[in-house]
Amino acid sequence: MGSGQWHVEKRSTFRNDSIVKEYGTVLETGCLSIIVLGASGDLAKKKTFPALFNLYRQGFLNPDEVHIFGYARTKISDEELRNRIRGYLVDEKNAEQAEALAKFLQLIKYVSGPYDSEEGFEKLDRAISEHEISKNSTEGSSRRLFYLALPPSVYPSVCKMIKTCCMNKSDLGGWTRIVVEKPFGKDLESAEQLSSQIGELFEESQIYRIDHYLGKELVQNMLVLRFANRFFLPLWNRDNIENVQIVFREDFGTEGRGGYFDEYGIIRDIIQNHLLQVLCLVAMEKPISLKPEHIRDEKVKVLQSVVPIKDEEVVLGQYEGYRDDPTVPNESNTPTFATTILRIHNERWEGVPFILKAGKALNSRKAEIRIQFKDVPGDIFKCQKQGRNEFVIRLQPSEAMYMKLTVKQPGLEMHTVQSELDLSYGQRYQGVSIPEAYERLILDTLRGRSSRRCFTGLTKEK
Ligand code: NDP
Ligand code: BG6
């Protein structure tokens, strides 16, 4: 935790009570600068700025204290950046949101510069300092959150520039934090190198490695579901489960993201991080507590038990038209689709295939976990049976979990039919708004909470 000052937030207009209940009422004061590096890109417009806007609307970003800076090489003005992101933030026909939007956009300033030049980062530092001097400094401390919405290849130079030019200089405490995105490098060697490069520049408590799938409501629910429900405990193993499928599909392609995506491909973009995190939560043993290090330890054991993948159990593909994207090289061989089978060599999972599948530009958008159960032994309904038991957790869209089971078809005859026990969040929790993953995660980083960090860098310590 940084040494910033803390106080009890009293202004109810700057918070949402239900979320404040979750996070406690203790908030830090002092000038807050949120710097989005790679502000011209896809992540920034689709997820980072919208999450910041939602936090702002809900009162978690105090307009008297916060300022948001975008930084990237693309030469655009403040107004051009605002226009690029505006459409992703809100339905402008909603009058209440439109008013908040206008105020929020005025908090955003854009600085253009390269990722490896002191000159650019000195310019950025001057802009942040000006804001701090105008807003802060007589009371409270300065907080600087640097969000790297950038390809990992530029993390080392960007981190070096932040360390050299842009650290918080407040005499009154405060902090500087760095948020890094997945994928954390390209392979083991580059991940370890990245870890040591960033580790030389910042304390571990300053670094936040984000995997936003961990912030999704139904991913968060996995631990509760598995370990707070007695009836799952005896079933969750190789004796009862035939296979586990973890699937991500998107109905749009890379669309101008070739600068990042083409160097990494779908395995590093989705499977190695998002789907593996989900796999760990499905497969791990019960941690001894909910402390992040205890959860991490159990995840690491799962990963250590995964046997090397066989070539014949991997299928790769590239969607037609991928190379038409002007940001993608004409000769690109980068996969946009991959499916693979992971096998976990331990007492619980020996023999159960974990089928991981991810693809872009497919016919629908969906992310789900599908647990297929074995057939009933000595089944006396075999001739009529509709299908096996399945437990499905749909992460998106329309969060839901449902259990497929065989029941008697209502009526005079003894016929069976497949039906569902269905917990669709939209119906069951009407009126409850489910926060976007990035809202939770950015709020966590502002609060200095590490429980949802990705922990990839820490596995090395085992
Ligand atoms: P983009 O391709 O949109 O890249 C973001 C910005 O980085 C670009 O606008 C560009 O800015 C700069 N950039 C792109 N390629 C390079 C390069 N080769 N060298 C230096 N700078 C470059 O990618 P995304 O925004 O989609 O992804 C950025 C990071 O966010 C990735 O690590 C990705 O895994 C992660 N992420 C993305 C999500 C998404 O929905 N897009 C969701 C979750 C995570 P400029 O040229 O102006 O400097
Ligand atoms: C990101 C990937 O990590 O996740 C993108 O880089 C992908 O390629 C995105 O589009 C999907 O996130 P979500 O939350 O929309 O499923």
Side-chain angles (χ1 to χ4, degrees), residues 29-100:
T29 51
C31 183
L32 172 63
S33 304
I34 300 176
I35 304 103
V36 181
L37 299 136
S40 57
D42 193 74
L43 169 66
K45 75 178 177 211
K46 283 191 191 152
K47 302 213 187 272
T48 321
F49 285 116
L52 290 173
F53 177 58
N54 285 340
L55 290 175
Y56 171 79
R57 275 200 306 129
Q58 295 170 95
F60 286 104
L61 299 178
N62 181 345
D64 293 338
E65 295 175 346
V66 73
H67 211 84
I68 297 167
F69 297 86
Y71 183 92
R73 298 170 303 186
T74 302
K75 290 189 172 43
I76 47 172
S77 64
D78 295 350
E79 209 44 44
E80 280 167 316
L81 176 68
R82 292 172 192 153
N83 287 337
R84 277 181 180 217
I85 61 175
R86 186 187 293 271
Y88 291 89
L89 302 188
V90 74
D91 173 7
E92 290 195 61
K93 290 190 199 108
N94 179 326
E96 183 230 332
Q97 290 195 0
E99 197 187 323

Side-chain angles (χ1 to χ4, degrees), residues 311-378:
D311 283 354
E312 60 272 26
E313 293 191 332
V314 180
V315 176
L316 300 177
Q318 187 186 78
Y319 69 83
E320 218 180 315
Y322 172 68
R323 295 182 215 173
D324 298 342
D325 184 330
T327 60
V328 169
N330 291 337
E331 304 306 314
S332 172
N333 219 8
T334 300
T336 63
F337 172 90
T339 180
T340 185
I341 300 177
L342 295 196
R343 297 176 191 278
I344 301 174
H345 179 61
N346 68 17
E347 200 176 324
R348 186 184 288 275
W349 295 116
E350 185 78 54
V352 180
F354 282 73
I355 302 159
L356 272 47
K357 200 180 284 184
K360 290 192 163 283
L362 298 174
N363 55 0
S364 62
R365 175 173 177 259
K366 196 181 270 186
E368 66 180 17
I369 308 164
R370 199 167 273 269
I371 315 233
Q372 294 202 324
F373 286 83
K374 293 191 168 175
D375 289 336
V376 173

Side-chain angles (χ1 to χ4, degrees), residues 168-346:
N168 160 46
K169 298 168 191 71
S170 166
D171 295 338
L172 294 161
W175 43 251
T176 302
R177 291 183 186 146
I178 313 291
V179 181
V180 290
E181 270 291 347
K182 42 59 62 177
F184 198 72
K186 281 187 95 166
D187 50 25
L188 180 61
E189 196 187 339
S190 60
E192 285 181 340
Q193 198 183 13
L194 195 51
S195 199
S196 68
Q197 282 165 328
I198 300 179
E200 277 166 22
L201 297 167
F202 300 105
E203 301 290 324
E204 183 56 32
S205 60
Q206 295 178 292
I207 308 166
Y208 289 74
R209 301 172 189 83
I210 273 194
D211 183 317
H212 77 284
Y213 265 58
L214 292 174
K216 291 196 184 277
E217 186 64 35
L218 286 195
V219 176
Q220 298 246 312
N221 197 22
M222 278 307 296
L223 286 182
V224 183
L225 196 67
R226 284 200 51 204
F227 301 119
N229 291 296
R230 175 104 199 192
F231 61 81
F232 283 124
L233 300 178
L235 295 182
W236 212 261
N237 54 43
R238 64 193 295 267
D239 297 333
N240 300 289
I241 293 177
E242 178 74 25
N243 67 69
V244 176
Q245 299 171 21
I246 305 174
V247 176
F248 165 96
R249 47 172 79 230
E250 246 173 14
D251 55 0
F252 52 88
T254 46
E255 292 167 9
R257 295 177 66 210
Y260 151 69
F261 186 88
D262 195 69
E263 205 185 323
Y264 294 88
I266 195 76
I267 296 177
R268 294 185 182 93
D269 188 46
I270 301 288
I271 295 185
Q272 179 276 331
N273 30 73
H274 300 329
L275 301 197
L276 270 190
Q277 287 285 351
V278 172
L279 175 138
C280 286
L281 290 168
V282 173
M284 72 191 221
E285 299 300 316
K286 179 151 72 179
I288 56 175
S289 83
L290 291 176
K291 284 189 181 158
E293 57 272 27
H294 292 153
I295 297 173
R296 178 205 60 204
D297 287 350
E298 294 306 331
K299 287 181 174 179
V300 170
K301 284 187 211 158
V302 172
L303 295 174
Q304 286 174 333
S305 306
V306 173
V307 300
I309 298 170
K310 295 183 189 146
D311 283 354
E312 60 272 26
E313 293 191 332
V314 180
V315 176
L316 300 177
Q318 187 186 78
Y319 69 83
E320 218 180 315
Y322 172 68
R323 295 182 215 173
D324 298 342
D325 184 330
T327 60
V328 169
N330 291 337
E331 304 306 314
S332 172
N333 219 8
T334 300
T336 63
F337 172 90
T339 180
T340 185
I341 300 177
L342 295 196
R343 297 176 191 278
I344 301 174
H345 179 61
N346 68 17

